[in-house]
Amino acid sequence: MQQRNSQTINVTRNATGQKTREILVLALLLVCSLVAVLTTIGIVASLAFEAFRFFQEVSLFDFLFGLEWSPQTALRSDQVGSSGSFGAIPLITGTLLISAIAMAIATPLGLLSAIYLAEYASDGARSVIKPLLELLAGIPTVVYGFFAALVIAPMLRNSGENVGLVISSESALAAGLTMGIMIVPLVSSLSDDVINAVPQSLRDASYALGSTQAETIKQVVLPAAIPGIAGSLLLAASRAIGETMIVVMAAGLAANLTANPFEAVTTVTVQIVTLLTGDQEFDSAKTLSAFALGLLLFIITLCMNVAALKIVDRYKE
Amino acid sequence: MNSIVMRENINTMIEHSDFAPENSIISAKNVDVFYGEKQALFNMNLDVVENSVTALIGPSGCGKSTLLRCFNRMNDVIPICHVEGSITLGGQDIHASNVDVVSLRQKVGMVFQKPNPFPKSIYDNIAYGPRIHGMTTSKAELDEVVEKSLKRAGLWDEVKDRLDKLGTGLSGGQQQRLCIARAIAVQPKVILMDEPCSALDPIATATVEELIDELRERFTIIIVTHSMQQAARVSMHTAFFHLGNLVEYGATSDIFTAPKDERTQNYITGRIG
């Protein structure tokens, strides 16, 4: 009886100490996660605030639907010939053109390699190929950038000359191709996981009905994995739209409104970089337009990420 | 064991325990199965009677499911699995080089432990097999196959108004009957069932057992079960396995009322397993 009493008291004391520690740890964890949340809120707020200042000088309609981008406003009042036009359409089409080329490369390459890895590859082949593919994801984008500018672009221009095509040395094609290779591991790795998550029992059912492996993959595995694959493609596309280094180095600065992949185009990200690098004053429409572009980009990729996560989540259920 | 309900017509069929029926459709001779280094089945000899229900019983890990998966070469899917000996279907060696595993599996269908309908419509679940084998030439013909298969599986009345709904949305028992209908749709000779009722409640189990009884007229059924009552209820012949060996094989009534081997006796009375 005596013993049990003293034990009870000890337990209570320990529990109090425990409680304090737990509260401290909890507070630490909360603060850490708050840092990330507050930073996000801060970034969004500054984007929104500066973009609002921009839209006091340039109308939202002109920004979203204007066909010409030439952000050369006067730095001094006596400077000439720089009225500036802030139509984002050429930037958006350039971004979409390069992203579309990238997705056209990454979707088949990534998906087919995922199918190979998940369904056909032996354990040996898989243990070599999968890390190599993921190594592709570890290459810094600036390396991809000068690879695109110094290897891919001249190669395209020369081979274009040989068949009588005019491909500019900074082309949407060079940037898109390189970006496509860059996001292959993103597509293949996520799709591989999704395909592996298709229950073996479904494959067994299909085999037991006398399907071949190809029929099973085409008619059972892929249909079951489609939502997850769509999610992985959306994530890859949103990565392509937000990608900067490759396009800065390979795509050019000319805001051409074109769908021709052989011409130079520019993207939202490239323009933000050029608007804000160097000495700038943050009171002109020119510099402020970067924030409007940033906000636009943020909204686009946010929507795509949310859609992708929604699709992937629904698939998991 | 008297309390177990027995089929009446089978007592007289076979009297000896080295059971070698004349009208066998599947015949396994000296079959050894290995998973990597580990041997799962030892020198198995078993003849399965056509148009009857044969139950494979025995404790977990005794090799009964392994043997079942030999009959439609589902073990091919497992890379480390290795089968020796001869298995014939209607006199033809199923491991012969000219045998197409696709046609073999069309002739020897399978129903799994856990209902595994495709995440497709009820209609497409049934139509899957006939479509890949090109068994029908028109939509009307396919409709007919779907209807007939669902009727034979006793599911038609429950699902005829929602054939376009997902097969995975049915109840467990309905899903399992859907899987049986799916197997029937490719017109197999033999249907292998791997503990088809272990994931079902007693009422759904009773429905599936009734179905097995009806299917016996058209198909040869081999069923692996952990329930000795179920083996006694649905099967004509029973094979008892222990540690990878076939211990005893014969008429179900003999196995359950007068087992010859002590291990069988111990198992059916609940002393081992």
Side-chain angles (χ1 to χ4, degrees), chain A residues 200-212 215-216 219-220 223-224, chain B residues 72 74 77 102 105 108-110 112 116-120 128 132-133 182-183:
Chain A
Q200 182 63 31
S201 67
L202 290 183
R203 293 187 185 88
D204 284 347
S206 176
Y207 289 137
L209 286 166
S211 326
T212 61
E215 284 164 344
T216 302
Q219 310 216 18
V220 175
Chain B
N72 65 345
M74 276 303 275
V77 181
V102 166
R105 288 180 188 151
V108 185
M110 191 164 199
F112 295 84
N116 54 358
F118 298 127
K120 300 171 184 281
Y128 183 85
I132 58 168
H133 294 297
R182 184 175 66 185

Side-chain angles (χ1 to χ4, degrees), chain A residues 17-72:
Chain A
Q18 189 78 22
K19 192 94 184 155
T20 323
R21 270 205 303 278
E22 273 178 20
I23 289 173
L24 279 175
V25 170
L26 189 69
L28 182 70
L29 296 177
L30 188 67
V31 167
C32 288
S33 54
L34 274 184
V35 168
V37 172
L38 289 177
T39 311
T40 312
I41 292 173
I43 290 175
V44 174
S46 87
L47 268 181
F49 183 70
E50 301 291 337
F52 178 74
R53 280 175 62 195
F54 171 74
F55 287 126
Q56 282 175 330
E57 295 185 32
V58 178
S59 85
L60 180 64
F61 184 85
D62 287 345
F63 175 71
L64 286 180
F65 301 104
L67 295 180
E68 200 187 334
W69 178 264
S70 147
Q72 307 306 324

Side-chain angles (χ1 to χ4, degrees), chain A residues 12-13 39 41 70 115 156 164 198 204 218 225 236 258 261 278 282 284 287 295 297 315:
Chain A
T12 316
R13 266 186 205 143
T39 311
I41 292 173
S70 147
I115 292 172
L156 285 174
V198 174
D204 284 347
K218 210 170 70 187
T258 176
F282 286 86
S284 67
T287 41
L295 190 64
L297 197 63
Y315 174 70

Side-chain angles (χ1 to χ4, degrees), chain A residues 101-264:
Chain A
I101 295 171
M103 290 310 289
I105 300 293
T107 304
L109 278 183
L111 202 52
L112 293 179
S113 47
I115 292 172
Y116 170 73
L117 281 176
E119 296 289 326
Y120 289 99
S122 66
D123 285 350
R126 191 183 158 85
S127 68
V128 174
I129 295 171
K130 200 167 159 88
L132 279 180
L133 257 177
E134 276 158 13
L135 197 66
L136 217 52
I139 298 176
T141 55
V142 66
V143 175
Y144 278 110
F146 64 69
F147 178 69
L150 302 180
V151 181
I152 304 278
M155 205 174 75
L156 285 174
R157 195 186 53 217
N158 293 340
S159 47
E161 272 170 12
N162 291 339
V163 294
L165 275 173
V166 181
I167 302 179
S168 83
S169 53
E170 287 181 326
S171 66
L173 189 60
L177 281 178
T178 315
M179 200 189 282
I181 298 295
M182 183 192 78
I183 56 180
V184 161
L186 203 64
V187 176
S188 72
S189 182
L190 285 172
S191 303
D192 181 35
D193 292 345
V194 171
I195 292 173
N196 271 324
V198 174
Q200 182 63 31
S201 67
L202 290 183
R203 293 187 185 88
D204 284 347
S206 176
Y207 289 137
L209 286 166
S211 326
T212 61
Q213 191 169 12
E215 284 164 344
T216 302
I217 292 168
K218 210 170 70 187
Q219 310 216 18
V220 175
V221 176
L222 286 184
I226 275 292
I229 291 172
S232 78
L233 291 180
L234 268 178
L235 282 178
S238 118
R239 173 80 199 274
I241 287 174
E243 171 52 35
T244 310
M245 272 331 285
I246 293 175
V247 280
V248 165
M249 298 173 87
L253 295 172
N256 294 324
L257 182 56
T258 176
N260 181 354
F262 301 141
E263 280 183 40

Side-chain angles (χ1 to χ4, degrees), chain B:
Chain B
M1 297 313 291
N2 291 338
S3 61
I4 294 171
V5 183
M6 292 290 176
R7 313 207 71 78
E8 297 150 22
N9 57 343
I10 49 171
N11 286 353
T12 52
M13 269 181 68
I14 306 293
E15 294 292 357
H16 52 96
S17 120
D18 289 327
F19 185 51
E22 292 288 303
N23 51 342
S24 76
I25 182 165
I26 285 182
S27 175
K29 285 199 173 51
N30 308 323
V31 171
D32 295 298
V33 180
F34 303 86
Y35 289 108
E37 295 291 299
K38 192 175 165 290
Q39 187 163 5
L41 277 183
F42 299 87
N43 197 29
M44 181 74 52
N45 289 286
L46 186 84
D47 289 320
V48 178
V49 181
E50 191 164 11
N51 286 22
S52 74
V53 180
T54 302
L56 312 182
I57 62 169
S60 296
C62 68
K64 53 194 190 306
S65 290
T66 301
L67 180 66
L68 195 74
R69 292 168 64 93
C70 285
F71 293 149
N72 65 345
R73 284 178 56 184
M74 276 303 275
N75 287 327
D76 290 11
V77 181
I78 303 167
I80 57 163
C81 186
H82 172 62
V83 180
E84 280 175 11
S86 118
I87 298 170
T88 56
L89 172 70
Q92 199 185 0
D93 185 356
I94 65 168
H95 290 106
S97 56
N98 63 344
V99 165
D100 182 9
V101 71
V102 166
S103 342
L104 171 69
R105 288 180 188 151
Q106 189 189 337
K107 293 291 171 235
V108 185
M110 191 164 199
V111 176
F112 295 84
Q113 187 169 356
K114 217 174 137 241
N116 54 358
F118 298 127
K120 300 171 184 281
S121 72
I122 292 170
Y123 184 96
D124 287 338
N125 262 283
I126 309 293
Y128 183 85
R131 274 186 185 139
I132 58 168
H133 294 297
M135 292 169 71
T136 54
T137 50
S138 66
K139 174 85 170 76
E141 209 181 331
L142 188 59
D143 287 349
E144 202 184 306
V145 169
V146 170
E147 181 175 342
K148 210 159 72 181
S149 307
L150 283 169
K151 274 182 176 159
R152 285 213 185 121
L155 197 58
W156 176 251
D157 289 333
E158 290 159 64
V159 301
K160 64 182 176 203
D161 301 322
R162 44 173 175 153
L163 291 176
D164 56 339
K165 295 282 189 307
L166 278 180
T168 41
L170 296 171
S171 74
Q174 287 173 326
Q175 286 188 20
Q176 195 61 302
R177 279 182 286 148
L178 181 68
C179 292
I180 293 174
R182 184 175 66 185
I184 293 171
V186 295
Q187 297 169 3
K189 294 277 178 221
V190 181
I191 302 175
L192 309 173
M193 298 189 175
D194 191 355
E195 298 180 44
C197 301
S198 63
L200 305 184
D201 66 51
I203 293 167
T205 300
T207 321
V208 171
E209 285 180 6
E210 273 171 42
L211 173 59
I212 292 172
D213 199 41
E214 286 162 26
L215 294 176
R216 166 168 70 90
E217 292 169 17
R218 292 170 182 277
F219 308 97
T220 306
I221 293 168
I222 307 175
I223 178 172
V224 164
T225 175
H226 268 130
S227 153
M228 281 168 283
Q229 283 85 348
Q230 182 170 64
R233 281 193 300 261
V234 302
S235 74
M236 272 107 266
H237 308 103
T238 297
F240 171 67
F241 294 77
H242 191 244
L243 301 174
N245 293 293
L246 175 60
V247 174
E248 194 165 350
Y249 177 40
T252 299
S253 55
D254 292 345
I255 297 280
F256 281 96
T257 53
K260 295 195 170 55
D261 195 286
E262 198 188 342
R263 287 169 291 178
T264 318
Q265 171 83 30
N266 287 341
Y267 183 69
I268 60 174
T269 53
R271 249 172 272 159
I272 58 167

